């Protein structure tokens, strides 16, 4: 059964800023901002092929992840998976997980009968080495990220109505 809408936070919380996607999804779940909506908020961990079936079981998916799009640390961007590699702003290898998450997205689109609309809320990391905690700029911007991702979720929910 294909479900309607999911927001999936991915990343490794033991690799500094790379854990921001997991942190933000945990915060959205804890704060129950969308508890009255028909939306699944999911902690996707470090991603990998386990995301294939998860992503493919929805009509619309927003991934929250640390993304290297050659910007200043802490900047964020919202884009469609169709935009990956199709512009100067979003290179074809943007995930801090290497090709991992984005190769899963390509595989979902290729091998799913009705591929979902996939969007990425990406945050430019400063540090992704083994360490706990976020860089200062990421830490300072957490309220901004929550506002912006909430706005994008509401917009996509309206589109589903």
């Amino acid at each position: 059964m294909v479900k309607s809408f999911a927001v999936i936070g991915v990343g490794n919380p033991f690799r500094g800023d790379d854990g921001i996607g997991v942190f933000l999804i945990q915060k959205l779940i804890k704060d129950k901002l969308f508890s009255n909506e028909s939306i699944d908020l999911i902690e996707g961990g470090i991603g990998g092929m386990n995301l294939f079936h998860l992503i493919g079981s929805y009509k619309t998916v927003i991934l929250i992840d640390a993304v290297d799009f050659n910007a200043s640390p802490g900047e964020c961007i919202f884009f469609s998976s169709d935009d990956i590699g199709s512009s100067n702003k979003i290179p074809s290898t943007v995930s801090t997980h290497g090709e991992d998450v984005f190769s899963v997205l390509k595989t979902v689109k290729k091998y799913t009968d009705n591929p979902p609309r996939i969007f990425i809320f990406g945050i430019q990391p400063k540090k992704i080495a083994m360490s706990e905690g976020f860089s200062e700029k990421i830490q300072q911007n957490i309220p901004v990220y929550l506002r912006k991702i909430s706005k994008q979720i509401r917009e996509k929910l309206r589109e589903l109505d």
Side-chain angles (χ1 to χ4, degrees), residues 41-54:
L41 302 174
I42 302 165
E43 184 179 327
I46 57 171
M49 283 309 287
N50 62 330
L51 289 177
F52 175 82
H53 293 292
L54 182 61

Side-chain angles (χ1 to χ4, degrees), residues 12-76:
N12 185 339
F14 299 109
R15 291 192 61 195
D17 296 342
D18 186 55
I20 191 65
V22 170
F23 177 85
L24 291 173
I25 202 72
Q26 289 172 344
K27 186 85 170 123
L28 290 171
I29 292 167
K30 181 181 172 218
D31 292 351
K32 299 181 182 181
L33 294 176
F34 298 96
S35 59
N36 294 330
E37 306 289 345
S38 57
I39 181 173
D40 292 336
L41 302 174
I42 302 165
E43 184 179 327
I46 57 171
M49 283 309 287
N50 62 330
L51 289 177
F52 175 82
H53 293 292
L54 182 61
I55 291 171
S57 65
Y58 289 91
K59 292 179 183 175
T60 302
V61 174
I62 296 176
L63 286 174
I64 305 172
D65 195 8
V67 171
D68 184 0
F69 54 101
N70 298 318
S72 298
E75 286 189 37
C76 61

Side-chain angles (χ1 to χ4, degrees), residues 21-135:
V22 170
F23 177 85
L24 291 173
I25 202 72
Q26 289 172 344
K27 186 85 170 123
L28 290 171
I29 292 167
K30 181 181 172 218
D31 292 351
K32 299 181 182 181
L33 294 176
F34 298 96
S35 59
N36 294 330
E37 306 289 345
S38 57
I39 181 173
D40 292 336
L41 302 174
I42 302 165
E43 184 179 327
I46 57 171
M49 283 309 287
N50 62 330
L51 289 177
F52 175 82
H53 293 292
L54 182 61
I55 291 171
S57 65
Y58 289 91
K59 292 179 183 175
T60 302
V61 174
I62 296 176
L63 286 174
I64 305 172
D65 195 8
V67 171
D68 184 0
F69 54 101
N70 298 318
S72 298
E75 286 189 37
C76 61
I77 187 171
F78 187 79
F79 59 96
S80 165
S81 62
D82 295 335
D83 296 331
I84 297 171
S86 66
S87 74
N88 291 335
K89 193 165 188 179
I90 306 163
S92 59
T93 55
V94 294
S95 174
T96 58
H97 312 286
E99 281 286 334
D100 188 41
V101 170
F102 295 99
S103 63
V104 170
L105 298 182
K106 291 174 191 172
T107 304
V108 167
K109 287 185 172 212
K110 185 175 182 178
Y111 294 105
T112 305
D113 290 335
N114 295 307
R117 296 180 329 139
I118 303 169
F119 302 92
I120 296 93
F121 184 85
I123 298 165
Q124 177 69 51
K126 179 176 182 177
K127 61 174 186 163
I128 56 169
M130 293 300 284
S131 66
E132 291 187 42
F134 302 119
S135 62

